[in-house]
Amino acid sequence: MYKYFNLILLLLLPLTAAAQYRSKVWSPDNGDGTFTNPVINADYSDPDVICVGDNYYLTASSFNCIPGLPILHSKDMVNWEIIGYALKSLYSGDRLKESHFSRPQHGNGVWAPSMRYHNGEYYIYWGDPDYGCYMVKTTNPAGEWSDPVCVIKGKGIIDTCPLWDDDGRCYLVNGWANSRSRFASVLTVRELNVEGTKAISEPVIVFDGNGTENRTCEGPKFYKRDGWYWIMCPAGGVPTGFQLAMRAKSPYGPYESKKVLQQGKTSVNGPHQGAWVHTEYGEDWFLHFQDKECYGRVVHLQPVDWSSGWPIMGKHGEPVITYRKPKSASTTIVNPVESDEFNAPELGKQWQWHANYNPTFGMPTAFGVARVYTYKVKEDYKNLWEVPNLLLQKTPADKFTATAKMRFTAKDQNQMGGIVMMGLNYSALVVKRVGDEFQLQQITCIGADKANTEEVEVLATLKPTAKDKIDYQPAIHEDIFLRMIVNDGTCQFAWSANGKTYKTVGKTFTMKEGKWIGAKIGFVAIEPGAKTNRGWIDADWFRVE
């Protein structure tokens, strides 16, 4: 049944929106003063974190997903919630680039960002491998951010991080993308103007990992501590590497380096790339990612010991799994939101589109549902890799069940809509109009990025339960419940007509990550590009359990 807003619901909405979200599938806070890694069991790759007073703010790579540059907030670095995004689109004010990102640009866009607080303002810098180094800023991380400013134009510049020195001068360190520059494994430093908006010197190579175990050195973060300039960066490869710390008495080096975190005898592969945080309680911590293949890069928290003069992370340089929580005045347990009742006049902060947003993709409604319109694909359509209106969120755990209550309205032949597990390989459970009936189908593609075609399995035939009284076009107007059951890298679909009894259908699908991101879950709605009215999904709710 539709959930129409009445006066009482409108009065209660602010209270509901303010409630702390508790995940049913992963919470790192053990409730006894300890936590268990990962502190965020979702794909927040290349995380950077800053401490401002007793508040912590995290951002991460978002690539082509919009809105971009997620902003998360915490009081203890264990319990996190999504409070907004710094980017509404790529790139506001530049028509050519905005048009470019109106189509899915998998793996492009926002690479490893850095966040800094300087003179009362919050800054985020990132490298776009095709266009250069960009920056946005704000005085309120949960509010509006400025339009992107291009700080340095050029291909190959990635993983940028500024440092405002004690004398007000600003320096920038960055890595290089071999796919664009045809060289990599070097870090460079240059000076910016004091506003941090443009380069005023040429780059200088300050570290070279070529020909050593420090290959693939990238993702640097710039700090200053006790008169030393510190660059902390990963090396050795994404799933297999380690964390380096390097120090010098000048921002231009020469730097001496030391390995400060590695897998060792633990199960945490590739522990590296993240943020050193010094808290107002005098403690030091390091947040980093771990590559978990189809689940993406999840976030871990490690203690840091500076007693040797170097930031030795974890326990003697190896990751901890369970540890005491950082000192904090907060005892609130809260997790990044996953489920959505679609009762607000805006989409939940967990949702992202696969390209710059267009209202024809879909919209929230005043009726207690979110609407996703069928996207008109090209005549030579191959697969969902080219579809921008996928409404998706990150996978929240290794094991979970996601169920959507929805209605599908079809205005013409071959329109379809449903739920999808999206990656380089994908599988979707959709309702599709065929003739004057509907089919429940599983649509699977292996090698979507290679323009491979889909495999379709018809699972059931559904009769239209109502017809459009004006246009006499078949439409499903009764609710249907679609479900995905995720278990250690596999996905099994099920469906129900009443929300009580579910039937498992289709083949078990082996999940696959996307381009530089983990597999994502959510809604799909497409149709051939005919000159007809669009169909649509009305999603009543999406629940993760």
Side-chain angles (χ1 to χ4, degrees), residues 220-253:
K221 298 296 188 300
F222 221 163
Y223 306 98
K224 193 173 185 182
R225 181 181 187 274
D226 294 339
W228 289 92
Y229 294 88
W230 289 89
I231 295 176
M232 299 187 189
C233 78
V238 172
T240 57
F242 43 85
Q243 179 70 19
L244 289 177
M246 53 190 76
R247 68 183 183 182
K249 284 295 185 177
S250 163
Y252 294 106

Short mmCIF file of all heavy atoms in Angstrom, two decimals, residues 220-253:
data_model
loop_
_atom_site.label_atom_id
_atom_site.label_comp_id
_atom_site.label_asym_id
_atom_site.label_seq_id
_atom_site.Cartn_x
_atom_site.Cartn_y
_atom_site.Cartn_z
N PRO A 220 49.66 9.65 -1.54
CA PRO A 220 50.40 10.27 -0.43
C PRO A 220 49.54 11.24 0.37
O PRO A 220 48.63 11.88 -0.16
CB PRO A 220 51.52 11.02 -1.15
CG PRO A 220 50.92 11.40 -2.47
CD PRO A 220 50.04 10.24 -2.85
N LYS A 221 49.84 11.35 1.66
CA LYS A 221 49.26 12.36 2.53
C LYS A 221 50.41 13.15 3.16
O LYS A 221 51.43 12.57 3.54
CB LYS A 221 48.40 11.72 3.63
CG LYS A 221 47.21 10.93 3.10
CD LYS A 221 46.21 11.82 2.38
CE LYS A 221 44.93 11.09 2.03
NZ LYS A 221 45.12 9.93 1.16
N PHE A 222 50.22 14.47 3.26
CA PHE A 222 51.27 15.41 3.68
C PHE A 222 50.97 15.91 5.09
O PHE A 222 49.85 16.37 5.37
CB PHE A 222 51.28 16.59 2.71
CG PHE A 222 52.64 17.08 2.31
CD1 PHE A 222 52.79 17.89 1.20
CD2 PHE A 222 53.78 16.75 3.03
CE1 PHE A 222 54.03 18.37 0.80
CE2 PHE A 222 55.03 17.21 2.65
CZ PHE A 222 55.15 18.03 1.52
N TYR A 223 51.96 15.84 5.99
CA TYR A 223 51.79 16.30 7.37
C TYR A 223 53.06 17.01 7.83
O TYR A 223 54.13 16.90 7.20
CB TYR A 223 51.52 15.13 8.32
CG TYR A 223 50.39 14.23 7.93
CD1 TYR A 223 50.62 13.03 7.26
CD2 TYR A 223 49.07 14.56 8.25
CE1 TYR A 223 49.58 12.20 6.91
CE2 TYR A 223 48.02 13.72 7.90
CZ TYR A 223 48.28 12.55 7.22
OH TYR A 223 47.25 11.71 6.87
N LYS A 224 52.97 17.70 8.97
CA LYS A 224 54.15 18.24 9.64
C LYS A 224 54.01 17.94 11.13
O LYS A 224 52.95 18.16 11.71
CB LYS A 224 54.29 19.74 9.41
CG LYS A 224 55.67 20.27 9.82
CD LYS A 224 55.87 21.73 9.43
CE LYS A 224 57.30 22.17 9.73
NZ LYS A 224 57.51 23.61 9.41
N ARG A 225 55.10 17.43 11.72
CA ARG A 225 55.08 17.06 13.14
C ARG A 225 56.46 17.30 13.73
O ARG A 225 57.46 16.77 13.22
CB ARG A 225 54.68 15.59 13.31
CG ARG A 225 54.60 15.12 14.76
CD ARG A 225 54.23 13.65 14.82
NE ARG A 225 53.97 13.19 16.17
CZ ARG A 225 54.91 12.75 17.02
NH1 ARG A 225 56.20 12.72 16.64
NH2 ARG A 225 54.59 12.34 18.23
N ASP A 226 56.52 18.10 14.78
CA ASP A 226 57.77 18.34 15.51
C ASP A 226 58.91 18.77 14.59
O ASP A 226 60.06 18.29 14.71
CB ASP A 226 58.18 17.10 16.30
CG ASP A 226 57.20 16.77 17.42
OD1 ASP A 226 56.46 17.68 17.84
OD2 ASP A 226 57.17 15.61 17.87
N GLY A 227 58.59 19.65 13.63
CA GLY A 227 59.62 20.17 12.75
C GLY A 227 59.95 19.29 11.56
O GLY A 227 60.72 19.70 10.66
N TRP A 228 59.38 18.09 11.50
CA TRP A 228 59.60 17.18 10.38
C TRP A 228 58.43 17.27 9.40
O TRP A 228 57.27 17.35 9.80
CB TRP A 228 59.73 15.72 10.85
CG TRP A 228 60.98 15.40 11.60
CD1 TRP A 228 61.17 15.44 12.94
CD2 TRP A 228 62.22 14.97 11.03
NE1 TRP A 228 62.44 15.06 13.28
CE2 TRP A 228 63.12 14.76 12.12
CE3 TRP A 228 62.67 14.73 9.74
CZ2 TRP A 228 64.42 14.33 11.93
CZ3 TRP A 228 63.98 14.30 9.55
CH2 TRP A 228 64.84 14.10 10.63
N TYR A 229 58.76 17.21 8.11
CA TYR A 229 57.73 17.05 7.07
C TYR A 229 57.55 15.55 6.84
O TYR A 229 58.54 14.82 6.67
CB TYR A 229 58.16 17.74 5.78
CG TYR A 229 58.25 19.24 5.92
CD1 TYR A 229 59.44 19.83 6.34
CD2 TYR A 229 57.16 20.06 5.65
CE1 TYR A 229 59.53 21.21 6.49
CE2 TYR A 229 57.24 21.44 5.80
CZ TYR A 229 58.43 22.01 6.22
OH TYR A 229 58.51 23.37 6.37
N TRP A 230 56.31 15.13 6.88
CA TRP A 230 56.01 13.71 6.74
C TRP A 230 55.14 13.48 5.50
O TRP A 230 54.17 14.19 5.28
CB TRP A 230 55.24 13.19 7.96
CG TRP A 230 56.09 13.10 9.20
CD1 TRP A 230 56.30 14.07 10.13
CD2 TRP A 230 56.84 11.96 9.62
NE1 TRP A 230 57.14 13.63 11.11
CE2 TRP A 230 57.48 12.33 10.83
CE3 TRP A 230 57.03 10.68 9.12
CZ2 TRP A 230 58.30 11.46 11.53
CZ3 TRP A 230 57.85 9.80 9.82
CH2 TRP A 230 58.48 10.19 11.01
N ILE A 231 55.52 12.49 4.71
CA ILE A 231 54.66 11.98 3.64
C ILE A 231 54.38 10.52 3.97
O ILE A 231 55.32 9.73 4.19
CB ILE A 231 55.33 12.09 2.26
CG1 ILE A 231 55.54 13.55 1.89
CG2 ILE A 231 54.47 11.39 1.20
CD1 ILE A 231 56.29 13.75 0.58
N MET A 232 53.10 10.19 4.08
CA MET A 232 52.71 8.80 4.33
C MET A 232 51.99 8.29 3.09
O MET A 232 51.09 8.95 2.56
CB MET A 232 51.81 8.72 5.56
CG MET A 232 52.50 9.22 6.83
SD MET A 232 51.51 8.92 8.31
CE MET A 232 52.45 9.85 9.54
N CYS A 233 52.40 7.11 2.62
CA CYS A 233 51.82 6.60 1.37
C CYS A 233 51.88 5.09 1.33
O CYS A 233 52.70 4.47 2.01
CB CYS A 233 52.56 7.19 0.17
SG CYS A 233 54.16 6.42 -0.17
N PRO A 234 51.02 4.48 0.51
CA PRO A 234 51.09 3.04 0.30
C PRO A 234 52.10 2.71 -0.79
O PRO A 234 52.45 3.55 -1.61
CB PRO A 234 49.66 2.70 -0.16
CG PRO A 234 49.24 3.92 -0.91
CD PRO A 234 49.87 5.09 -0.18
N ALA A 235 52.53 1.48 -0.80
CA ALA A 235 53.42 0.98 -1.85
C ALA A 235 53.24 -0.53 -1.94
O ALA A 235 52.65 -1.16 -1.06
CB ALA A 235 54.87 1.35 -1.56
N GLY A 236 53.72 -1.11 -3.03
CA GLY A 236 53.71 -2.56 -3.16
C GLY A 236 52.47 -3.16 -3.78
O GLY A 236 52.34 -4.37 -3.86
N GLY A 237 51.52 -2.31 -4.23
CA GLY A 237 50.31 -2.82 -4.88
C GLY A 237 49.10 -2.76 -3.98
O GLY A 237 49.22 -2.85 -2.75
N VAL A 238 47.92 -2.65 -4.60
CA VAL A 238 46.69 -2.43 -3.83
C VAL A 238 46.33 -3.62 -2.93
O VAL A 238 46.16 -3.44 -1.73
CB VAL A 238 45.52 -2.08 -4.77
CG1 VAL A 238 44.20 -2.05 -4.01
CG2 VAL A 238 45.78 -0.72 -5.43
N PRO A 239 46.20 -4.85 -3.46
CA PRO A 239 45.78 -5.94 -2.56
C PRO A 239 46.91 -6.55 -1.75
O PRO A 239 46.68 -7.33 -0.83
CB PRO A 239 45.19 -6.97 -3.53
CG PRO A 239 45.95 -6.75 -4.80
CD PRO A 239 46.28 -5.28 -4.86
N THR A 240 48.16 -6.20 -2.08
CA THR A 240 49.29 -6.90 -1.48
C THR A 240 50.27 -6.00 -0.75
O THR A 240 51.20 -6.51 -0.12
CB THR A 240 50.09 -7.65 -2.58
OG1 THR A 240 50.51 -6.68 -3.57
CG2 THR A 240 49.23 -8.70 -3.24
N GLY A 241 50.09 -4.68 -0.84
CA GLY A 241 51.12 -3.76 -0.38
C GLY A 241 51.12 -3.45 1.09
O GLY A 241 50.51 -4.14 1.92
N PHE A 242 51.77 -2.33 1.44
CA PHE A 242 52.04 -1.95 2.82
C PHE A 242 52.05 -0.43 2.91
O PHE A 242 51.95 0.28 1.90
CB PHE A 242 53.39 -2.52 3.28
CG PHE A 242 54.47 -2.37 2.24
CD1 PHE A 242 55.20 -1.20 2.15
CD2 PHE A 242 54.73 -3.40 1.33
CE1 PHE A 242 56.20 -1.05 1.19
CE2 PHE A 242 55.73 -3.25 0.36
CZ PHE A 242 56.45 -2.07 0.28
N GLN A 243 52.20 0.08 4.13
CA GLN A 243 52.21 1.52 4.36
C GLN A 243 53.62 2.01 4.66
O GLN A 243 54.33 1.42 5.49
CB GLN A 243 51.28 1.88 5.53
CG GLN A 243 51.23 3.34 5.87
CD GLN A 243 50.53 4.18 4.82
OE1 GLN A 243 49.78 3.66 4.01
NE2 GLN A 243 50.75 5.48 4.85
N LEU A 244 54.00 3.08 3.96
CA LEU A 244 55.27 3.73 4.20
C LEU A 244 55.06 5.05 4.93
O LEU A 244 54.06 5.73 4.74
CB LEU A 244 55.99 4.04 2.88
CG LEU A 244 56.57 2.89 2.07
CD1 LEU A 244 57.17 3.44 0.78
CD2 LEU A 244 57.64 2.14 2.86
N ALA A 245 56.04 5.42 5.76
CA ALA A 245 56.13 6.78 6.29
C ALA A 245 57.51 7.30 5.92
O ALA A 245 58.51 6.56 5.97
CB ALA A 245 55.95 6.78 7.81
N MET A 246 57.57 8.56 5.50
CA MET A 246 58.86 9.14 5.14
C MET A 246 58.96 10.55 5.72
O MET A 246 57.94 11.24 5.86
CB MET A 246 59.05 9.14 3.63
CG MET A 246 57.93 9.78 2.83
SD MET A 246 58.08 9.48 1.05
CE MET A 246 57.53 7.78 0.94
N ARG A 247 60.16 10.96 6.07
CA ARG A 247 60.32 12.25 6.74
C ARG A 247 61.53 13.00 6.18
O ARG A 247 62.50 12.40 5.69
CB ARG A 247 60.47 12.06 8.24
CG ARG A 247 61.74 11.37 8.68
CD ARG A 247 61.77 11.15 10.19
NE ARG A 247 63.06 10.56 10.61
CZ ARG A 247 63.35 10.22 11.86
NH1 ARG A 247 62.44 10.38 12.82
NH2 ARG A 247 64.52 9.70 12.16
N ALA A 248 61.43 14.33 6.29
CA ALA A 248 62.52 15.19 5.85
C ALA A 248 62.42 16.51 6.60
O ALA A 248 61.38 16.84 7.18
CB ALA A 248 62.46 15.42 4.34
N LYS A 249 63.48 17.30 6.54
CA LYS A 249 63.49 18.62 7.18
C LYS A 249 63.05 19.72 6.22
O LYS A 249 62.92 20.88 6.61
CB LYS A 249 64.88 18.93 7.73
CG LYS A 249 65.22 18.19 9.01
CD LYS A 249 64.30 18.62 10.17
CE LYS A 249 64.70 17.98 11.47
NZ LYS A 249 63.83 18.45 12.61
N SER A 250 62.82 19.36 4.96
CA SER A 250 62.32 20.29 3.95
C SER A 250 61.18 19.61 3.22
O SER A 250 61.20 18.38 3.03
CB SER A 250 63.43 20.65 2.95
OG SER A 250 62.87 21.21 1.76
N PRO A 251 60.17 20.37 2.77
CA PRO A 251 59.08 19.73 2.02
C PRO A 251 59.56 19.07 0.73
O PRO A 251 58.92 18.16 0.22
CB PRO A 251 58.11 20.88 1.73
CG PRO A 251 58.90 22.14 1.92
CD PRO A 251 59.92 21.82 2.96
N TYR A 252 60.74 19.50 0.23
CA TYR A 252 61.29 18.94 -1.00
C TYR A 252 62.29 17.82 -0.74
O TYR A 252 62.96 17.36 -1.65
CB TYR A 252 61.95 20.05 -1.83
CG TYR A 252 60.96 21.07 -2.34
CD1 TYR A 252 60.90 22.34 -1.80
CD2 TYR A 252 60.08 20.76 -3.38
CE1 TYR A 252 59.99 23.28 -2.26
CE2 TYR A 252 59.16 21.70 -3.86
CZ TYR A 252 59.12 22.95 -3.29
OH TYR A 252 58.22 23.88 -3.75
N GLY A 253 62.42 17.39 0.52
CA GLY A 253 63.30 16.29 0.85
C GLY A 253 64.75 16.73 1.02
O GLY A 253 65.03 17.93 1.16
#
